[in-house]
């Protein structure tokens, strides 16, 4: 009997074919065991053949009719050569009927001649099939043992083989066949168990039910043929044999189909579980290999080109054969193609191609199974692709959060985190130092060649510093033209100076920008990691050393306590910043912004002050740069914003709903957490976002604008308004306006002071007002000190201003009192109106169509 299980590569031994799940040709231990068992079978077969020959000689058995021997040989060849194959869709099963000529031959001729004829027939088939010699030897030897056992049993039960007068009872035939079955199993299962690495019990239990039915049918066929021959009935009766075989075929077909459907659902469920992976490569490899097993295909191909991905994965039951770009290999009548799409057809991943050795037509059940498998595979591909995209975005976000977008170097955050790891003792970087680098006269590059050229210089400087860094060193851009290098694995402190000089020397070679040769000069400050104070202290010391190098006109300087005398105030302030934030020493004063025509307060600007216990009232000019370099900027900015919004709430409750303007450092906008902090503060004080104005300096570089753009867009979309401070002092105000979506322009106080005496200053103000009007922006003049300045600004079209003419910066309580007292009996006004109430004012043509508040 020959059994071929669907979807599994078979190993054919004897008249059976059985699955070989894990056998490897490279497994030496298994090969040795197989050779030992097959050798034992061959030796036993030689012994049985020898005994049969000796028995024939001793009994002087006559030589049978040669035609009968040739007939047995021919039927043996046919029975081995031509198998009855049953195909169900893409799966097939088959069996041989060699037992029939063997048992009939034992009734007609002596055992040795049956062994000779059948063995010769099997050897002939093996030679024609070019079978492996070891397997061929086993097949012939096994059959010799089976024939010998059956023949000996018949002789013991009194059977006398003869062509003319055969004498064999039905009992003898049945018992002999059962003995041959037993010997066949005793020889076959140990060998196949070793080859497939399964237990004999498991193999036998899987085959027992089918074997019993099939053996019984074969035995009935044998008995039927012998009875016809012995009883001398008409040979026409042999025509019933095909009917019996046909019944067997139909039974086997139905059983195979039932078993196939049951196994298919189990295999499909197992395969679907294996596809639940987030690795796209694993999904494609499992899908192709398991698809070949599920549908007994020679090869399976997954083609993703239809989804825009030039990739084809091809696999057989042994594993992946190809993974790379297309084109598709299979496109013939021997292939079956189905689309890889979800059940609702909302997503299509490509195509699934099954390639068979012969032409196959799938049953309705298998077509449904193929659709189910393709849908599951498509879903797995989509999930894996989505996970890969999420992972890519996460990695990109993590990279963006740690790197400067202009140069690709690490940013301030990454530098701080790396340094904190050292101070926390989580690294083995040896002695660590910080090199702080500032480019000399970089502003002149921007002013002369423009911001695009300045950005090109920054990128080239970053590239050179990164190339000159030693392995393990971290090169970072802190913002603007300031760079930092964390020097690690220093054997001695003196090595820090050597490395710093090497890095700065890499900048000495001229670089070409827009066809011009430019020389970059830089100053570097070196500080060895202190025993306490962390990264903030390290940064502070390197900053001091850098300014010492600038003053001395040297390329580098190393921090030393003895040289701190020139920077005592900076050192003191830097060391006390953390305490000042914690104890709320930073306070906020407010300067009102007034409608120049009516004198009414329309908003207020928050101005930070430091109430230092020793130095008294300090302005931002005295401490802001130190704050920005200390790492305390986020806490400082949050404290100022908190007080400003709290004051706004107090004014609103008193009936004065004034927008509040707060200055923002460009370094704050480089912090990705800043927008969320602002929106959180607005919500906590219940202040509408449109009542907050964030003032930005026009001295921002284009590279900074590209970086802070995301933060500004997020704040603008939430409703927060933006103002551009010190307008007119930068090199390219139009380029700044194209990058920042502002609502207000604040004219620098230098132009206001010169308004009365300088026609150029008046022209700048007039052009600024015209520009703002065309862009629908409000204009505010800063530093209004006198009534003539107020009148001049009003005539030029500027409708709002702030300065000492109206009020100096004051606390929120004092400003509230001033608003309540008002001017001229008008609450909320701090100056008399330019024109009496009710009078007719002829607007200058330049202001006639403008926007803004006017009072007639």
């Amino acid at each position: 009997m020959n059994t071929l299980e669907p979807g599994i590569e078979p190993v054919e031994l004897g008249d059976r074919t059985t699955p070989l799940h894990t056998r490897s040709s490279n497994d030496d231990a298994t090969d040795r065991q197989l050779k030992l068992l097959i050798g034992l079978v061959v030796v036993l077969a030689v012994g049985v053949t020898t005994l049969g020959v000796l028995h024939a000689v001793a009994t002087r058995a006559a030589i049978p009719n040669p035609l009968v021997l040739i007939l047995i040989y021919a039927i043996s060849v046919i029975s081995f050569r031509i198998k009855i194959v049953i195909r169900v869709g893409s799966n097939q099963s088959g069996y041989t009927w060699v037992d029939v000529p063997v048992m009939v031959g034992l009734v007609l001729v002596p055992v040795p001649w049956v062994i000779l004829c059948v063995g010769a027939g099997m050897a002939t088939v093996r030679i024609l099939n070019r079978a492996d010699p070891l397997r061929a030897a086993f097949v012939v030897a096994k059959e010799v043992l089976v024939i010998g056992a059956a023949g000996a049993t018949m002789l013991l039960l009194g059977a006398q083989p003869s062509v003319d007068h055969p004498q064999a009872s039905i009992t003898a035939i049945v018992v002999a066949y059962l003995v041959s079955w037993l010997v066949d199993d005793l020889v076959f299962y140990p060998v196949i168990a070793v080859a497939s690495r399964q237990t004999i019990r498991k193999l036998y239990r899987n085959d027992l039910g089918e074997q019993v039915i099939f053996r019984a049918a074969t035995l009935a066929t044998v008995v039927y043929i012998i009875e016809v021959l012995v009883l001398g009935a008409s040979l026409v009766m042999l025509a019933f044999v095909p009917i019996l075989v046909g019944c067997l075929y139909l039974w086997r077909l139905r059983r195979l189909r039932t078993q196939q459907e049951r196994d298919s659902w189990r295999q499909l469920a197992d395969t679907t579980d294996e596809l639940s992976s987030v690795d796209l490569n694993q999904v494609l490899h499992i899908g192709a290999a398991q698809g070949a097993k599920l549908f007994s295909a020679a090869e399976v191909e997954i083609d993703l080109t239809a989804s825009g991905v030039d990739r084809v994965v091809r696999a057989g039951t042994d594993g992946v054969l190809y993974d790379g770009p297309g084109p598709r290999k299979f496109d013939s009548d021997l292939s079956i193609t189905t689309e890889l799409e979800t059940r609702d057809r909302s997503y299509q991943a490509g195509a699934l191609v099954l390639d068979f050795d012969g032409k196959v037509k799938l049953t309705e059940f298998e077509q449904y199974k193929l659709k189910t498998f393709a849908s599951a595979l498509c879903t797995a591909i989509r999930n894996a692709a989505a996970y890969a995209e999420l992972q890519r975005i996460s990695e990109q976000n993590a990279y963006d959060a740690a790197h400067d977008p202009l140069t690709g170097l690490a940013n301030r955050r990454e530098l701080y985190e790396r340094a904190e790891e050292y101070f926390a003792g989580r690294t083995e970087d040896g002695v660590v130092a910080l090199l702080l680098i500032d480019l000399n006269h970089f502003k002149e590059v921007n002013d002369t060649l423009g911001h695009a050229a300045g950005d090109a210089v920054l990128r080239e400087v970053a590239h050179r510093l990164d190339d000159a860094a030693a392995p393990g060193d971290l090169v970072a851009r802190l913002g603007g033209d300031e760079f930092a290098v964390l020097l690690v694995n220093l054997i001695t402190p003196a090595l820090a100076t050597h490395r710093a000089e090497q890095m700065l020397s890499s900048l000495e070679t001229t670089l070409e920008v827009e066809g011009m040769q430019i020389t970059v000069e830089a100053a570097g400050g070196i500080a060895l990691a202190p025993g306490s104070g962390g990264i903030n202290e390290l940064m502070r010391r390197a900053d001091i050393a850098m300014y010492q190098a600038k003053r001395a006109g040297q390329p580098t300087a190393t921090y030393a306590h003895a040289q701190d005398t020139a920077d005592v105030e900076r050192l003191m302030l830097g060391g006390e910043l953390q305490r000042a934030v914690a104890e709320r020493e930073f306070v906020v004063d407010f300067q009102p912004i007034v409608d120049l025509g009516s004198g009414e307060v329309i908003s207020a600007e928050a101005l930070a002050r430091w109430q230092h216990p020793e130095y008294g009232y300090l302005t931002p000019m005295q401490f802001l740069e130190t704050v920005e370099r200390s790492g305390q900027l986020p806490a400082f900015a949050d404290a100022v914003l908190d007080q400003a919004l709290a004051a706004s709430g107090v004014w609103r409750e008193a009936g004065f709903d004034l927008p509040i303007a707060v200055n923002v450092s460009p370094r704050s906008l480089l912090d990705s957490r800043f927008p969320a902090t602002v929106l959180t503060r607005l919500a906590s004080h219940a202040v509408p976002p449109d009542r907050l104005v964030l003032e930005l300096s026009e001295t921002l570089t284009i590279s900074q604008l590209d970086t802070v753009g995301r933060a500004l867009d997020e704040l603008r979309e939430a409703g927060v308004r933006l103002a551009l401070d010190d307008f007119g002092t930068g090199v390219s105000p139009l380029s700044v306006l194209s990058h920042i979506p502002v609502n207000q322009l604040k004219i620098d106080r230098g132009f206001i002071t010169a308004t009365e005496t300088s026609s150029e200053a008046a022209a700048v103000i007039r052009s600024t007002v015209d520009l703002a009007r065309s862009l629908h922006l409000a204009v505010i003049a800063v530093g209004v000190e006198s009534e003539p300045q107020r009148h001049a600004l009003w005539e030029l079209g500027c409708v709002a201003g702030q300065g000492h003419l109206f009020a100096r910066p004051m606390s929120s309580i004092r400003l509230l009192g001033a608003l309540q007292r008002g001017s001229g009996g008008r609450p909320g006004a701090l100056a008399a109106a330019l024109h009496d109430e009710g009078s007719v004012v002829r607007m200058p043509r330049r202001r006639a169509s403008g926007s803004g508040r006017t009072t007639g």
Side-chain angles (χ1 to χ4, degrees):
M1 180 179 64
N2 189 341
T3 303
L4 179 62
E5 294 190 12
I8 302 173
E9 180 186 356
V11 172
E12 188 175 322
L13 296 172
D15 58 341
R16 310 182 189 203
T17 306
T18 192
L20 179 58
H21 296 274
T22 58
R23 181 154 178 344
S24 173
S25 60
N26 297 322
D27 193 332
D28 294 335
T30 300
D31 286 344
R32 285 195 297 270
Q33 292 176 355
L34 281 174
K35 289 178 181 178
L36 181 62
L37 287 174
I38 292 174
L40 179 60
V41 173
V42 171
V43 170
L44 291 175
V46 172
V48 169
T49 303
T50 303
L51 290 176
V53 173
L54 293 176
H55 179 268
V57 173
T59 58
R60 297 181 180 181
I63 299 177
N65 188 333
L67 294 177
V68 175
L69 299 180
I70 293 173
L71 181 61
I72 295 175
Y73 166 78
I75 295 176
S76 299
V77 170
I78 294 172
S79 64
F80 277 103
R81 184 70 174 174
I82 303 176
K83 299 177 181 178
I84 298 178
V85 178
I86 302 174
R87 178 180 293 275
V88 180
S90 61
N91 300 299
Q92 67 180 22
S93 177
Y95 59 88
T96 62
W97 40 283
V98 68
D99 290 343
V100 174
V102 167
M103 296 304 299
V104 174
L106 290 175
V107 174
L108 300 177
V109 299
V111 176
W113 295 105
V114 177
I115 293 175
L116 177 62
C117 294
V118 175
M122 295 181 69
T124 301
V125 173
R126 294 296 159 177
I127 292 173
L128 293 176
N129 292 339
R130 297 181 181 179
D132 178 73
L134 185 64
R135 292 184 178 181
F138 172 75
V139 169
V140 176
K142 180 177 75 70
E143 202 61 33
V144 167
L145 293 178
V146 171
I147 296 171
T153 302
M154 292 184 67
L155 292 176
L156 290 175
L157 294 177
Q160 295 294 329
S162 173
V163 175
D164 299 327
H165 302 288
Q167 298 179 10
S169 64
I170 298 300
T171 301
I173 295 172
V174 172
V175 173
Y177 184 75
L178 294 177
V179 170
S180 68
W181 179 8
L182 177 61
V183 172
D184 190 17
D185 288 348
L186 289 176
V187 175
F188 177 79
Y189 281 108
V191 175
I192 198 61
V194 172
S196 62
R197 294 179 181 175
Q198 299 185 64
T199 63
I200 297 176
R201 180 180 179 183
K202 181 179 179 180
L203 290 171
Y204 192 75
R205 186 177 64 244
N206 291 340
D207 289 346
L208 182 60
E210 186 171 329
Q211 277 208 65
V212 168
I213 299 175
F214 188 81
R215 293 277 188 176
T218 303
L219 179 60
T221 303
V222 169
V223 172
Y224 178 79
I225 293 174
I226 293 174
E227 280 295 301
V228 170
L229 295 177
V230 171
L231 295 176
S234 173
L235 294 179
V236 178
M237 296 294 293
L238 292 176
F240 289 101
V241 173
I243 298 176
L244 184 59
V245 173
C247 293
L248 177 62
Y249 177 94
L250 294 176
W251 165 81
R252 172 64 176 156
L253 180 64
R254 191 174 115 184
R255 190 173 187 277
L256 178 61
R257 180 173 287 129
T258 303
Q259 180 183 1
Q260 178 208 23
E261 292 182 1
R262 182 175 62 251
D263 293 344
S264 292
W265 284 120
R266 175 182 54 79
Q267 293 172 6
L268 184 60
D270 293 343
T271 301
T272 303
D273 290 341
E274 291 186 55
L275 291 175
S276 58
S277 172
V278 295
D279 185 348
L280 181 59
N281 291 332
Q282 188 174 359
V283 168
L284 294 175
H285 291 180
I286 290 176
Q290 292 298 328
K293 294 179 181 179
L294 274 174
F295 300 98
S296 297
E299 291 182 16
V300 165
E301 193 171 69
I302 299 175
D303 183 2
L304 301 182
T305 53
S307 61
V309 180
D310 187 15
R311 184 177 184 183
V312 170
V313 176
R314 193 177 304 123
T317 55
D318 291 332
V320 177
L321 304 174
Y322 175 80
D323 185 352
R328 184 187 299 177
K329 175 183 177 182
F330 307 122
D331 189 13
S332 67
D333 294 339
L334 304 182
S335 300
I336 297 177
T337 302
T338 187
E339 299 298 330
L340 284 173
E341 59 184 9
T342 54
R343 289 189 178 277
D344 59 0
R345 297 186 176 181
S346 61
Y347 178 82
Q348 185 173 7
L352 177 69
V353 185
L354 309 180
D355 185 64
F356 297 94
D357 292 330
K359 192 170 183 179
V360 172
K361 182 179 181 180
L362 299 182
T363 64
E364 183 178 354
F365 167 76
E366 285 189 315
Q367 291 176 6
Y368 178 75
K369 184 178 72 170
L370 180 58
K371 287 289 185 183
T372 303
F373 174 72
S375 175
L377 179 57
C378 179
T379 300
I381 292 173
R382 179 178 62 177
N383 292 342
Y387 179 83
E389 179 63 15
L390 288 176
Q391 190 175 32
R392 186 196 65 78
I393 293 174
S394 176
E395 292 173 354
Q396 184 64 45
N397 290 340
Y399 179 87
D400 292 342
H403 291 80
D404 173 56
L406 176 65
T407 64
L409 296 179
N411 58 13
R412 181 184 293 268
R413 173 182 175 182
E414 179 69 8
L415 176 69
Y416 274 47
E417 289 182 357
R418 174 74 178 275
E420 288 295 349
E421 290 179 359
Y422 165 79
F423 286 107
R426 296 195 297 271
T427 67
E428 298 178 358
D429 291 337
V431 178
V432 173
L434 181 68
L435 169 62
L436 198 62
I437 301 173
D438 189 77
L439 304 184
N440 297 332
H441 314 299
F442 178 72
K443 188 175 184 297
E444 297 177 4
V445 176
N446 278 335
D447 293 349
T448 306
L449 302 179
H451 293 291
D455 290 347
V457 171
L458 292 175
R459 283 192 290 266
E460 178 61 23
V461 169
H463 176 70
R464 292 187 181 187
L465 292 176
D466 196 41
D467 285 346
D473 292 350
L474 180 67
V475 183
R477 180 182 177 225
L478 304 182
D481 59 347
E482 191 175 38
F483 297 84
V485 184
L486 193 65
L487 306 172
V488 299
N489 296 320
L490 300 173
I491 301 175
T492 64
L495 188 58
T497 302
H498 176 67
R499 283 202 197 172
E501 291 175 349
Q502 282 185 324
M503 298 198 73
L504 289 178
S505 65
S506 69
L507 304 179
E508 294 177 356
T509 306
T510 59
L511 56 93
E512 183 176 339
V513 177
E514 296 183 356
M516 300 183 62
Q517 298 295 322
I518 297 178
T519 301
V520 176
E521 297 179 359
I526 308 166
L528 294 172
S532 61
I535 179 60
N536 292 329
E537 177 66 13
L538 180 62
M539 183 70 74
R540 184 185 65 80
R541 293 185 178 186
D543 187 44
I544 292 173
M546 183 186 68
Y547 277 94
Q548 290 172 351
K550 282 179 176 289
R551 282 193 297 268
Q554 299 175 347
T556 63
T558 302
Y559 171 82
H561 288 288
Q563 299 174 355
D564 273 357
T565 54
D567 291 292
V568 172
E569 185 174 331
R570 282 170 57 91
L571 288 171
M572 182 278 301
L573 292 177
E576 295 181 347
L577 284 175
Q578 190 170 3
R579 185 210 69 223
V581 172
E583 298 184 8
R584 302 181 67 84
E585 292 180 7
F586 290 107
V587 297
V588 178
D589 282 349
F590 301 89
Q591 186 173 40
I593 299 174
V594 177
D595 185 308
L596 295 180
S598 66
E600 296 179 356
V601 177
I602 57 176
S603 62
E605 179 182 0
L607 302 170
R609 302 287 186 264
W610 185 354
Q611 289 183 334
H612 195 278
E614 181 178 352
Y615 290 90
Y617 218 51
L618 303 179
T619 65
M621 294 294 293
Q622 296 172 283
F623 64 80
L624 186 57
E625 183 179 354
T626 304
V627 170
E628 289 181 335
R629 296 179 181 273
S630 68
Q632 293 295 322
L633 181 60
F636 167 77
D638 186 59
V640 172
L641 182 63
D642 182 50
Q643 294 184 52
L645 294 177
S648 175
V650 172
W651 301 335
R652 189 167 59 256
E653 290 179 0
F656 300 97
D657 187 10
L658 300 178
I660 188 75
V662 180
N663 288 280
V664 177
S665 168
R667 293 176 184 261
S668 293
L669 296 174
L670 295 174
D671 186 352
S672 60
R673 298 166 292 184
F674 180 72
T677 301
V678 172
L679 298 179
T680 299
R681 282 298 181 191
L682 285 169
S684 64
H685 289 285
V687 175
D690 63 353
R691 311 312 284 168
L692 174 64
V693 180
L694 297 181
E695 294 190 358
L696 313 169
S697 174
E698 195 214 355
T699 56
L700 283 164
T701 65
I702 293 298
S703 60
Q704 288 175 323
L705 296 178
D706 291 337
T707 303
V708 305
R710 291 187 294 272
L712 295 177
D713 288 341
E714 185 176 348
L715 291 168
R716 179 74 181 269
E717 290 175 1
V720 176
R721 294 191 293 168
L722 304 175
L724 191 59
D725 201 5
D726 302 325
F727 188 79
T729 60
V731 177
S732 180
L734 291 179
S735 64
V736 174
L737 287 176
S738 67
H739 283 76
I740 302 180
V742 299
N743 306 94
Q744 300 175 1
L745 300 180
K746 302 189 74 173
I747 303 176
D748 184 72
R749 67 177 61 248
F751 298 105
I752 308 305
T753 303
T755 301
E756 299 174 86
T757 59
S758 172
S759 60
E760 290 81 1
V764 170
I765 296 174
R766 183 181 297 109
S767 62
T768 301
V769 171
D770 290 341
L771 174 65
R773 182 178 296 116
S774 64
L775 297 178
H776 305 288
L777 305 179
V779 178
I780 300 172
V782 179
V784 182
E785 308 291 340
S786 65
E787 281 293 340
Q789 289 177 356
R790 177 187 178 190
H791 281 270
L793 290 168
W794 174 255
E795 291 298 326
L796 290 171
C798 183
V799 298
Q802 66 184 97
H804 292 173
L805 173 64
F806 307 109
R808 294 180 179 272
M810 63 187 77
S811 67
S812 62
I813 300 301
R814 289 184 57 194
L815 178 57
L816 177 59
L819 292 171
Q820 291 173 334
R821 288 191 302 272
S823 173
R826 294 184 301 146
L830 296 183
L834 290 179
H835 306 281
D836 296 334
E837 185 175 355
S839 63
V840 177
V841 178
R842 183 174 298 279
M843 301 282 290
R845 178 175 300 180
R846 201 174 303 279
R847 295 176 51 228
S849 61
S851 61
R853 297 184 53 183
T854 59
T855 302

